[in-house]
Amino acid sequence: MSETIYGNTPCFLGARNLAAENRLDEVDAVVYGVPWEGAVTWGDYTGCELGPKVMRLSSGRYSGYLPELDHIDVFEHMKLGDIGDVDVVPADVEETMNRITQFTDPLWKSGKFLIGLGGDHGVTFPIVRSLANQGKKVGIIHLDAHYDNLPSHEGDPYARCSPFMRLYEQEGVRNESIIHTGIHGPRNKPESGRNARDAGALTITINDIREHPDLRALARRLHELASREVDCVYLSICSDVLDYAFNPGGPVDGNGLTSYELLTLVHEIAKQGIAGMDFVEVYPQQDPSQLSAHLSSTIVLYALAGHILNKQQSKGDGAVGENAQGQA
């Protein structure tokens, strides 16, 4: 079995190569790439279609062992598969959106935990559309500096600034269970806040996070809100929810989360139960050291560690690693 997914590119975090096998029965979670970049919405800030490749390359140095999470070794408890990338069509936005939905349809049907690597944030709409197409009512925890809910960008309804406007319109997504989390900064527009309010979505700003006395309790509250009157919760993370000090390969936004804050939120949210997640808008050309691409491995591992705990808690078994994970 090949250990590379394409050429010299390894499977993410040493995952099993599902693209070579075309079967999912021997894995618990599936990672896939969406190397898509649509309309550029600011200057020449571009290159996020390279994100999946560079995140895979960067992941090659990491194991699944997290000593700070009670010594859990993620890959002692679950098997990860990498099924490759969606076959995008750079010249055809609508066709690419349809291909993303078609690609993820059988993955959602498999019942596996799904991890999408973007790509710009426009890819979240067709991924969640596919989940809703399974007959699921979906809530979303959206970790981002920006609402990404404008109607369009220069006529493109699927631009990176618009996926949540499309999701507001999507049958099967409960707008009141969309939680825009970490929102901050003047790159938002006044109409974005109004659009969220009018749709019924909830806004949790960066100050709401910073001023909350218990980060883990807040994460549990976010999940409680997102899970109301829905069948499942999806987690979507834009890299720019992080402060640029922690995210040199993402959009330039200050006053964001620290890596600790993001990882803690992700882990605790996943512990409550999520169907899958995406991590988008890593721009390798902006980051010679690829720090943002490297952080993606830890973000995914923290989510998987939370997913493992959720499964064990549902079975009444809370023990992982060397000790029980009790403090969170």
Side-chain angles (χ1 to χ4, degrees):
M1 181 178 64
S2 173
E3 295 182 353
T4 62
I5 196 76
Y6 301 114
N8 70 334
T9 305
C11 295
F12 187 72
L13 285 169
R16 188 182 186 111
N17 188 341
L18 302 179
E21 299 180 347
N22 196 29
R23 54 183 295 182
L24 305 178
D25 56 319
E26 295 185 6
V27 299
D28 305 294
V30 178
V31 65
Y32 62 96
V34 192
W36 168 254
E37 179 163 66
V40 175
T41 55
W42 180 64
D44 62 353
Y45 217 85
T46 185
C48 62
E49 79 277 9
L50 301 173
K53 176 182 177 69
V54 180
M55 283 188 269
R56 286 188 175 104
L57 289 167
S58 300
S59 77
R61 70 178 299 181
Y62 300 111
S63 73
Y65 175 53
L66 298 169
E68 69 274 30
L69 296 183
D70 280 333
H71 298 275
I72 187 172
D73 185 345
V74 167
F75 300 129
E76 284 186 0
H77 299 271
M78 70 185 313
K79 295 180 180 177
L80 179 65
D82 189 333
I83 201 165
D85 287 350
V86 178
D87 185 16
V88 304
V89 185
D92 193 331
V93 180
E94 185 98 32
E95 174 63 17
T96 294
M97 297 297 110
N98 289 334
R99 289 191 182 196
I100 295 168
T101 296
Q102 292 161 7
F103 185 96
T104 50
D105 273 345
L107 302 183
W108 287 123
K109 287 175 183 175
S110 75
K112 308 299 181 182
F113 185 85
L114 301 191
I115 304 146
L117 305 177
D120 76 33
H121 214 157
V123 308
T124 296
F125 164 65
I127 293 169
V128 176
R129 176 174 63 181
S130 173
L131 177 56
N133 285 349
Q134 311 309 311
K136 301 288 188 181
K137 194 76 169 177
V138 184
I140 307 170
I141 299 175
H142 169 215
L143 289 164
D144 201 326
H146 314 111
Y147 284 99
D148 290 352
N149 66 357
L150 296 177
S152 64
H153 175 72
E154 296 187 358
D156 178 5
Y158 303 110
R160 70 194 74 189
C161 61
S162 301
F164 282 86
M165 179 59 76
R166 303 286 80 78
L167 288 167
Y168 295 160
E169 302 163 348
Q170 175 63 42
E171 185 177 355
V173 174
R174 183 176 186 267
N175 289 353
E176 295 80 5
S177 296
I178 296 176
I179 318 299
H180 297 291
T181 308
I183 304 299
H184 64 277
R187 285 212 296 128
N188 289 287
K189 295 182 181 296
E191 55 264 39
S192 294
R194 292 194 293 267
N195 291 343
R197 179 199 62 204
D198 292 348
L202 180 64
T203 298
I204 304 294
T205 71
I206 190 69
N207 286 356
D208 293 325
I209 296 173
R210 285 274 162 70
E211 294 168 10
H212 197 282
D214 186 333
L215 191 59
R216 292 184 174 88
L218 174 61
R220 294 191 291 270
R221 177 61 175 162
L222 293 173
H223 188 275
E224 178 187 345
L225 293 167
S227 60
R228 287 180 176 174
E229 299 182 37
V230 300
D231 301 307
C232 59
V233 174
Y234 184 80
L235 175 63
S236 182
I237 310 168
C238 181
S239 74
D240 63 24
V241 75
L242 288 159
D243 189 271
Y244 47 56
F246 300 90
N247 186 40
V252 183
D253 289 277
N255 193 32
L257 297 178
T258 66
S259 55
Y260 169 80
E261 290 168 333
L262 177 59
L263 292 169
T264 300
L265 288 169
V266 167
H267 180 61
E268 194 64 41
I269 289 167
K271 275 179 61 180
Q272 311 313 306
I274 55 176
M277 62 178 289
D278 60 51
F279 182 62
V280 301
E281 305 226 0
V282 170
Y283 294 79
Q285 292 171 311
Q286 315 294 334
D287 184 8
S289 297
Q290 303 309 334
L291 300 181
S292 297
H294 278 278
L295 183 60
S296 69
S297 291
T298 309
I299 291 169
V300 170
L301 287 169
Y302 267 63
L304 291 176
H307 178 68
I308 291 164
L309 288 167
N310 174 261
K311 293 299 183 185
Q312 292 184 339
Q313 289 162 0
S314 68
K315 296 176 181 177
D317 178 10
V320 297
E322 296 180 2
N323 304 293
Q325 175 89 3
Q327 79 276 16

